[in-house]
Amino acid sequence: MKKIIPLLAALLLLYSCKKDKTSDAVQKKGEATESTLQKDSLNSKNSELQENSIKSEKKPSDLVPGGYEIQYDAEGDLNQDGLADIALVIRKKEDTLAGRKMMILLKNPDKTYRVDKVSDTVLPDEYNEAGYKMHDPEDITIENGELSINLYDIGPNGNQFSRFKYLNGDLILTYIETYNMGAGSHSALFYQPMKGKLTLETVNTMEEEMPTESKKFQIKRERYVFEKTSPDDVVRKAYDLASK
């Protein structure tokens, strides 16, 4: 009997250790599964856009990912192949204050469309933290093989006009222009990133004749692709380079 008691104690200890290890394994597996689900949720929209990029549809709206709606659209031959392409600005249906996407749909010879470019950054936020519209009006156009994004505001955000063209298969920022009205002066920027040509103009509104000062700069040439470009960041960088 004395030998049986230590044996039972050892078996109970062994069972307890196995149970703890099993519990830890189950917990770690659960954490890993939760982490995977979170990553899947974050990537689901991008995955849907990637899947759309390898298929073609007759209606542009059929290439818009689920949960999004078309806010603006423009039609024109963007890649200069003789076919009318389409640019779409899309936003979430349930959260119109969220960030927007811009899609470039190229037309195929069989009259279907395919997704060629998508950008999460080329458009600024539509509303500020107080819920006011940042630019009004906004519009996009395609003319002479050029995509134009035109944003207007008489307030502190000012006007911003961006131009993109296809070059060797990439949609590249070729020109950006801004105009801002401030207390005592108006300022304008004219920038061609691929040429490194930058012009800054300032109008002194404190004087009756409102004289204009214009400065030209030759700065580093840059190649900004549509998918990763934020025009706001490009403007800030241009001002920084000009001030050096």
Side-chain angles (χ1 to χ4, degrees), residues 24 26-37:
D24 290 342
V26 171
Q27 182 178 356
K28 289 179 180 178
K29 184 177 180 181
E31 292 173 353
T33 301
E34 183 178 355
S35 177
T36 300
L37 288 173

Side-chain angles (χ1 to χ4, degrees), residues 23 28 88:
S23 177
K28 289 179 180 178
L88 300 177

